[in-house]
């Protein structure tokens, strides 16, 4: 079995920073089916390996659950436990999650679309307020976090599909 892909072998992550600075749109192609990618986005043990650990997660709209996030700079006002609600689901094409922390209210949407090379993932992380310093810092930090997390997801999928 091969190990994780080298950074140069990973698909590029394209991040669009909204002109009004209220959201990030992240696009990446994965070498797998939408069903395989969906399972990685919605199965708690797998989510914990590339995204965050969750408590109480299911894909049923209205489900309340928690994300256990690692500590981040105090200036961002992140708390370690994020309150979340599943907003909308259309398996295996779309899931949106409303997240609230001490100082942030975000909506994260994952959209999947089959393409010739596999599946395109579009993640939208919305709810940043450019007028607030903590939000500007969070948006900047999340640009790097999303790239790193999607690298982890791609490595995880490359290992899983070789089994």
């Amino acid at each position: 079995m091969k190990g994780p892909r080298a950074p140069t072998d990973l698909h590029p992550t394209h991040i669009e920073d909204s002109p009004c600075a209220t959201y990030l749109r992240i696009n990446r192609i994965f070498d797998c089916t939408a069903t395989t990618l969906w399972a990685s986005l919605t199965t708690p043990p797998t989510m914990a390996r590339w995204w965050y650990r969750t408590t109480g997660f299911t894909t049923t709209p209205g489900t309340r659950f928690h994300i256990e996030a690692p500590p981040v700079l105090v200036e961002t006002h992140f708390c370690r436990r994020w309150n979340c609600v599943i907003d909308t689901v259309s398996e295996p094409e779309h899931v949106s999650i409303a997240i609230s922390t001490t100082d942030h209210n975000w909506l994260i949407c994952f959209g999947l679309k089959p393409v010739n090379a596999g599946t395109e993932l579009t993640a939208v992380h919305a709810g940043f307020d450019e007028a607030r310093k903590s939000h500007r810092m969070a948006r900047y930090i999340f640009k790097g976090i999303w790239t790193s997390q999607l690298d982890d997801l791609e490595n995880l999928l490359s290992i899983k599909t070789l089994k």
Side-chain angles (χ1 to χ4, degrees):
M1 176 190 323
K2 292 182 182 177
R5 294 180 180 190
T8 55
D9 294 335
L10 298 173
H11 289 288
T13 298
H14 302 285
I15 298 180
E16 172 193 333
D17 198 352
S18 69
C20 56
T22 59
Y23 68 87
L24 297 170
R25 182 186 317 272
I26 305 100
N27 290 85
R28 185 126 174 205
I29 303 228
F30 291 88
D31 297 326
C32 64
T33 65
T35 304
T36 298
L37 185 54
W38 178 262
S40 295
L41 296 174
T42 60
T43 305
T46 306
M47 292 164 65
R49 292 179 64 190
W50 73 271
W51 197 40
Y52 297 112
R53 200 164 32 105
T54 63
T55 304
F57 179 90
T58 70
T59 56
T60 304
T63 297
R64 295 184 179 282
F65 68 99
H66 295 97
I67 287 177
E68 301 296 330
V72 184
L73 294 173
V74 172
E75 294 85 2
T76 62
H77 299 284
F78 285 1
C79 62
R80 292 201 53 174
R81 186 173 170 95
W82 301 350
N83 298 310
C84 308
V85 178
I86 296 294
D87 188 39
T88 59
V89 176
S90 178
E91 186 177 339
E93 294 94 24
H94 175 85
V95 61
S96 61
I97 302 167
I99 299 175
S100 63
T101 71
T102 307
D103 190 48
H104 301 273
N105 289 302
W106 294 312
L107 184 65
I108 295 180
C109 304
F110 294 111
L112 285 68
K113 180 175 76 172
V115 294
N116 289 340
T119 304
E120 179 180 23
L121 170 67
T122 300
V124 176
H125 187 156
F128 299 105
D129 180 353
E130 180 62 17
R132 299 175 69 184
K133 180 181 177 184
S134 64
H135 284 234
R136 289 191 307 272
M137 290 178 69
R139 194 181 74 253
Y140 175 79
I141 290 167
F142 270 110
K143 285 181 187 179
I145 289 173
W146 278 111
T147 298
S148 176
Q149 287 174 328
L150 294 182
D151 285 351
D152 291 347
L153 177 57
E154 187 166 349
N155 277 319
L156 177 65
L157 287 167
S158 70
I159 291 168
K160 287 177 80 172
T161 56
L162 291 172
K163 290 183 178 178

